[in-house]
Amino acid sequence: MLKVDTQKISPQQVEAFERDGVICVKNAVDDIWVERMRTAVDKNISIPGPLENKNAPRPQGSAEHASSIWLIDADFRALAFESPLPTLAAQVLKSKKLNFLADGFFVKKPESNGRIGWHNDLPYWPVQGWQCCKIWLALDTVKQENGRLEYIKGSHQWGKELRERSNPSWFVEPEPHEILSWDMEAGDCLIHHFLTIHHSVTNISSTQRRAIVTNWTGDDVTYYQRPKAWPFKPLEEIDVPEFNSLKTKKSGEPIDCDIFPRVQVHR
């Protein structure tokens, strides 16, 4: 059963999400969830994820990342299906239906060069539609010095897809635009639209920065066979039973399936 706190998102925050493409929600989860998920991230950081080669250790880098951990880890699964996060997603999307796409974690190591370039999320997912968002949950204090995220205000309304390092002619460094960013504490989260353009800066501090992401879709989102999209490898090469449900999916169909489960949110 999902834990529901309908007071987390105010009408003003929903309005800000629709206008700006991103909001920061303070105290989205409590300290119990924070400690539980810190332990889960630290446990999984050296273990190959379900989409990685199980016989090879995860390559070491300045920014550690893994995807779809909910398929193999009970704590990540609980965060997706039993925490306040699904309710937050359903509220900002104003959606009766909610599907869970995937989770992941990002760990920026101290004094690293793990900068993530400007992009938005939609071109990386095999979906199409407007009601889609990512929740970025902080597990540590987040400041400019250790790699916070920055957003171009209102850029989701441009209706343009941007992959990192794609350098389209229409996109230039965003000096003329207003940038939104927040200092955060563990348990705070960012919720951004899949089309909101954002990046994260380098961690120049002496401490690591851990975060978990969850991705959500609503009523109008359908499957879309997008090239070079998640899971970034042929389905035949993925030895995870839930992915079999994608093999017969066709563009334009509802995304409901084993790998994109529908989440029952009790209001």
Side-chain angles (χ1 to χ4, degrees):
M1 183 71 67
L2 296 177
K3 297 178 181 178
V4 178
D5 185 345
T6 58
Q7 301 305 312
K8 290 292 185 183
I9 298 290
S10 68
Q12 291 77 21
Q13 286 175 302
V14 174
E15 181 181 348
F17 174 81
E18 294 175 340
R19 179 189 66 239
D20 301 338
V22 59
I23 58 173
C24 181
V25 179
K26 298 294 185 179
N27 303 307
V29 301
D30 61 24
D31 292 343
I32 295 173
W33 275 112
V34 169
E35 289 303 323
R36 181 177 182 180
M37 299 316 300
R38 282 173 173 170
T39 301
V41 169
D42 293 346
K43 177 180 68 176
N44 282 280
I45 196 167
S46 60
I47 302 172
L51 298 182
E52 298 173 273
N53 185 343
K54 294 180 174 56
N55 298 319
R58 179 175 294 122
Q60 297 297 305
S62 57
E64 301 288 348
H65 172 61
S67 176
S68 300
I69 309 302
W70 72 277
L71 294 167
I72 60 171
D73 186 280
D75 293 317
F76 276 82
R77 185 176 181 86
L79 184 72
F81 296 100
E82 300 172 20
S83 79
L85 299 188
T87 300
L88 301 185
Q91 288 177 2
V92 299
L93 295 177
K94 293 183 177 177
S95 183
K96 297 179 181 178
K97 170 188 171 185
L98 188 70
N99 285 80
F100 176 61
L101 293 189
D103 59 12
F105 65 76
F106 290 89
V107 178
K108 280 200 172 186
K109 295 183 177 179
E111 300 176 349
S112 65
N113 59 355
R115 178 184 180 273
I116 305 299
W118 292 103
H119 68 284
N120 53 23
D121 294 340
L122 186 59
Y124 297 97
W125 289 101
V127 300
Q128 194 68 277
W130 181 253
Q131 290 169 292
C132 42
C133 70
K134 172 171 285 181
I135 298 180
W136 192 96
L137 177 64
L139 298 182
D140 299 297
T141 298
V142 178
K143 296 187 177 184
Q144 176 75 22
E145 293 77 16
N146 71 344
R148 72 183 180 189
L149 276 67
E150 298 180 339
Y151 295 85
I152 301 179
K153 181 179 180 179
S155 55
H156 64 308
Q157 298 177 13
W158 300 352
K160 293 181 178 291
E161 298 181 11
L162 178 66
R163 286 178 178 263
E164 187 182 5
R165 295 187 292 273
S166 59
N167 299 317
S169 59
W170 60 266
F171 181 75
V172 295
E173 287 294 315
E175 282 83 357
H177 305 288
E178 184 176 349
I179 302 299
L180 299 177
S181 62
W182 290 266
D183 289 345
M184 303 169 68
E185 298 299 330
D188 298 347
C189 77
L190 300 167
I191 309 179
H192 70 250
H193 192 276
F194 269 16
L195 281 175
T196 307
I197 296 174
H198 58 285
H199 76 160
S200 68
V201 300
T202 300
N203 183 0
I204 62 173
S205 76
S206 59
T207 59
Q208 68 178 346
R209 190 221 68 187
R210 293 167 292 184
I212 291 177
V213 294
T214 52
N215 299 275
W216 308 91
T217 65
D219 298 327
D220 74 337
V221 173
T222 57
Y223 184 69
Y224 179 62
Q225 294 178 334
R226 189 186 298 273
K228 298 181 180 179
W230 182 95
F232 309 111
K233 60 194 302 186
L235 295 176
E236 293 74 18
E237 297 179 8
I238 302 175
D239 186 22
V240 178
E242 287 83 355
F243 278 91
N244 292 331
S245 62
L246 279 185
K247 292 180 179 178
T248 58
K249 265 303 174 193
K250 295 180 174 58
S251 291
E253 293 182 346
I255 67 169
D256 305 63
C257 62
D258 292 342
I259 197 63
F260 298 145
R262 189 165 174 171
V263 180
Q264 186 67 40
V265 179
H266 300 279
R267 302 178 190 276

